[in-house]
Structures are given as structure tokens and as C-alpha cells.
Amino acid sequence: MTDESGEQSPELDTDAGSDCGESAGNNASEAPNSGQSGRRTKGLRTFVAWIPFTVTVTGILLALLNSALTFTDYQLEPLFPYSAARTDHIYPGTFRSSNPHPIETLSTPGIAPATVSVEVVSLDLPARMASTRVSLSLSEEIVQNLRVGKGSERVMESNRASWGDAPVEIQLTTCLTAMPINCGVPVATVPLGKLVGNGGALPQGATVSTSITLPISGSPERYPSDAYYLSVNSPQVTLASNVSLYAKKYKSAFGEARLPTAVNLGIGRGLPDQVATFSESGNMHPRVLALTFERPVLEKATIYLMAMLPLVLGVVVSHISLRRHLASFDLGNAAGLIALILTILPLRSVLMPSDLASIGLTLVDYILIIGVLVMTAMLFVQYAMATTRALRDENLRLADATPPRGA
């Protein structure tokens, strides 16, 4: 405002100067607050950028822990609780023999044993069951000393109708080292008439017409380091109540209608991919026999290498990308890692046998999962580093653009 002479009023000049000073002071006080808010926002963005990487690393640690627990999972030995006095490799189409335990022959000296042959035809690994073919043959000494009734009349001299259908029971107890199935119950029954001919013992014996299923123990979740075993505790052959084993020179019946029994364990030619081992307890313990099935070493090594291959390729690709010190997210590296991740999905169906596909996670699955998580972590760490680097560069630009306070 001016007076009539055109000169400005000194009071208004003072008020204008006061308003400008207050405005400058307010701007100066708001600048630090806005800088602090921006730094908090950038810090939060940096924290959020590293969350996916942290979650993925946690998944890797959990997968490693689960795989270690699976690999070191304790399982009973085939002859538990006894140690093996004899072990021998067995090949498809072959058998290994076990003679009667000395205790079993104390009451039947000089009598050649009956022979039970058990051939493993196929394995149902998820169900932990083995399909077997069982056959039985009697020795000539047993047939010549069989009596009908209480030792009064030889079987060969009596009416065949009185003993031809008499059951001969085969017991293969598996309770000691496997699931409590068939404990004390005959797994097969053969009529005596199919074991004895008109002239004496039939050398080929009799084969059970139906397939016998026996439980096996094992750990399919440790594939390809899985192992399975079929254990048989104190195998025995028992005669019917109206037939006894009697020798004139001993003038008494032998035992309680239980025959001395030799056992042949073998595997069929339909199991060429399995490495089998026969084991037997010693004479100081009850007789326990076992067949252990494992995968060949070369097959296991090949499966492990194939399962780890995507992981190795992902590490190489990421290492090359990280050595470039890129300031931005490398889309080419990301595309390569994503392509490797996608190859893992069909790789499982190639490495995993069809019969084990439904049992859950195995060691191979954990290796593949770790590969996916590691490659995902490499993607996330590059994303987090690029985000952190971009925020840091933005802070530097803002710092350079901000004038000094005294200017």
C-alpha cells in the first residue's frame, strides 16, 4: 500500500517480510520429515524384496532335513535280532539251500529232511508284499517211515484212501522280523497223496497251485536306496494227526508229527533288476532265513546323477549371471532358470518307477524339490539385489539433487 506521494508504507514491508520468513521456515522444517518418510518407505521396500528369498531358503532347509531323516531312517535288519552267520548273493532263477537246524534233527537222526522251496515271483513294493511259488517234496526216508495211526501200519502198505487226502501243512512264520501276518498259520497245505506215489516219494514233490503272498519289510521312501527283505522264522512241515513219522529201530514216533525240513529260497527270472542276498542265522540261534532285495549300484548312481543334473545346471547359469554384476534383473538368466525348473516335472516320471509313484515323497523327490527351491532362490536373490541396488541409486540421486542447507 502506498501514500499519495507514491512511497510504500514501512508497516506493510515488515508484514510481508514476516510472511516470507515463516513460509521458508515451514519448508525447511518439512524437508527433514519428508526425507525420513522416504527412507522408511525405501527400507520397507528393501525388506519386502528379500522376503521371497528368505521363504525359499527356509524351504530348502526343511527339504534337506526331511531328506536326511528319510535317508537315516532306522529299519530292522533282515535277521533281527540275530546276526547273519552266512550270506550269499543270489541271481534270478537260482536258489540257496538251508539245512535243518541241529535241534530239529535231534529227534530224527538219520532221516533225510523234507524240502520246501520258496521262489519269489514278484514284489509289490507299495503294499510290501511278495508273491511266491511254494513247493514241497518228501525224502524217501520219510516216506518209508510214515505210519498211519499210532505207528502200526506203514503208509505204503495201507489203503491209500485212508491217508491220500491227509493234509501236510507248510508254515513259514514271518512274525519275528516282519509284519504279524501268518503267525503260526500254515501258508499252504498239500495232500499227502500228491507227495507219495505207489513206489515211494515223488522226487519232484508237489507245487502249491495258488500263489502264496508273504509280507516283506522295507523302505520304499528311500528310493533309489530302498531295500526290502523277506524273512522266514523257523520254517516247518507238519503232518496230519492220523499220520506219524516212525522208525522200527527207534521204536517210537518222532516228535509231534513235525518233519525235519530243509528250505530252498530263490528268486524267479522275472526279477532281473534286483540284487538279492541270501542270509541265514547261525546254529546258536533259532533258524531265520532272509532274502534282501536292493537296486544295482550303477542304477542308483545314475538316478542320483540325473536327479541332481538340473540343480547343477541352475547353479552354473546363476553363477555366470552373478559374475556380471548386473544392475538390473537379468531376464535371460530368469528364463533359463524357469526352463530348468519346468524340466524337473517330467523328470520325476522318468526316474520314478510306476509302482512307487503313489507312495509319497522319496529321496529322489527331495533332491528334485531342493533343485527347484535352489533355482527359485537364485531368481529371488537376483530380484532382491536388483531392487536393493535400484533403491540405493535412487537415494544417491536424491542426495545429489538436494541443495545444502546453507545455500
Side-chain angles (χ1 to χ4, degrees):
M1 183 175 181
T2 58
D3 55 12
E4 295 178 355
S5 61
E7 295 181 356
Q8 187 176 3
S9 173
E11 290 83 358
L12 295 177
D13 290 342
T14 304
D15 294 338
S18 175
D19 293 339
C20 293
E22 289 178 0
S23 177
N26 291 336
N27 292 334
S29 63
E30 290 175 0
N33 292 333
S34 113
Q36 292 176 1
S37 176
R39 283 193 293 271
R40 284 196 298 268
T41 302
K42 292 181 177 64
L44 180 61
R45 290 170 60 187
T46 301
F47 174 76
V48 171
W50 283 94
I51 288 179
F53 172 74
T54 305
V55 172
T56 308
V57 170
T58 303
I60 293 173
L61 295 177
L62 291 176
L64 287 172
L65 177 61
N66 287 327
S67 61
L69 293 176
T70 300
F71 188 79
T72 58
D73 185 26
Y74 176 76
Q75 61 178 356
L76 297 178
E77 294 297 325
L79 302 180
F80 179 84
Y82 310 118
S83 58
R86 171 193 173 195
T87 58
D88 192 10
H89 290 293
I90 189 171
Y91 303 95
T94 60
F95 288 81
R96 294 295 181 270
S97 300
S98 170
N99 293 322
H101 196 282
I103 295 179
E104 299 177 18
T105 59
L106 289 178
S107 59
T108 57
I111 299 294
T115 301
V116 175
S117 297
V118 180
E119 180 184 15
V120 178
V121 179
S122 62
L123 298 175
D124 187 349
L125 303 184
R128 293 177 174 84
M129 302 297 289
S131 178
T132 63
R133 184 183 296 112
V134 179
S135 61
L136 171 65
S137 62
L138 303 181
S139 66
E140 189 63 33
E141 289 85 351
I142 288 179
V143 172
Q144 295 300 325
N145 289 284
L146 289 179
R147 298 291 188 272
V148 178
K150 299 298 182 180
S152 59
E153 187 177 8
R154 292 178 58 193
V155 164
M156 297 299 299
E157 299 171 353
S158 61
N159 184 6
R160 189 178 183 87
S162 64
W163 55 266
D165 294 331
V168 180
E169 298 178 344
I170 304 172
Q171 294 185 6
L172 302 173
T173 308
T174 57
C175 299
L176 183 63
T177 56
M179 296 181 293
I181 299 178
N182 299 330
C183 295
V185 177
V187 298
T189 300
V190 180
L192 183 59
K194 290 188 176 182
L195 302 173
V196 179
N198 295 329
L202 296 177
Q204 72 274 15
T207 300
V208 179
S209 57
T210 59
S211 176
I212 304 301
T213 302
L214 298 176
I216 59 175
S217 298
S219 52
E221 64 277 359
R222 296 178 63 178
Y223 173 82
S225 296
D226 50 341
Y228 311 88
Y229 56 85
L230 167 68
S231 296
V232 178
N233 174 32
S234 300
Q236 56 186 286
V237 175
T238 306
L239 297 173
S241 57
N242 64 327
V243 180
S244 62
L245 181 61
Y246 183 90
K248 185 176 181 180
K249 61 180 178 180
Y250 299 113
K251 298 181 180 179
S252 62
F254 288 141
E256 298 177 354
R258 177 176 172 179
L259 303 180
T261 306
V263 179
N264 296 333
L265 284 182
I267 59 176
R269 298 188 181 276
L271 296 173
D273 296 333
Q274 299 288 338
V275 176
T277 303
F278 170 85
S279 55
E280 181 182 7
S281 61
N283 293 335
M284 300 299 296
H285 307 293
R287 183 165 58 145
V288 182
L289 312 175
L291 282 178
T292 303
F293 300 92
E294 295 180 291
R295 301 185 188 277
V297 175
L298 184 59
E299 178 182 341
K300 291 191 287 187
T302 302
I303 293 173
Y304 278 124
L305 289 175
M306 289 298 297
M308 295 179 64
L309 186 59
L311 173 61
V312 175
L313 292 176
V315 171
V316 171
V317 171
S318 298
H319 177 68
I320 294 174
S321 178
L322 291 175
R323 290 197 62 180
R324 297 177 182 174
H325 302 288
L326 298 176
S328 60
F329 190 71
D330 188 355
L331 295 179
N333 175 68
L337 290 177
I338 292 174
L340 288 173
I341 291 174
L342 294 178
T343 61
I344 291 179
L345 300 178
L347 186 59
R348 183 189 188 272
S349 62
V350 174
L351 298 179
M352 184 70 65
S354 58
D355 57 344
L356 295 182
S358 61
I359 66 168
L361 296 179
T362 64
L363 281 178
V364 163
D365 292 313
Y366 284 120
I367 293 175
L368 297 177
I369 290 173
I370 291 172
V372 170
L373 291 176
V374 168
M375 285 184 278
T376 306
M378 292 174 180
L379 284 174
F380 286 151
V381 74
Q382 292 183 51
Y383 163 74
M385 292 174 62
T387 302
T388 304
R389 194 178 294 115
L391 293 174
R392 184 182 61 197
D393 295 342
E394 183 179 348
N395 289 334
L396 292 176
R397 286 194 302 270
L398 291 176
D400 294 339
T402 302
R405 291 187 177 183

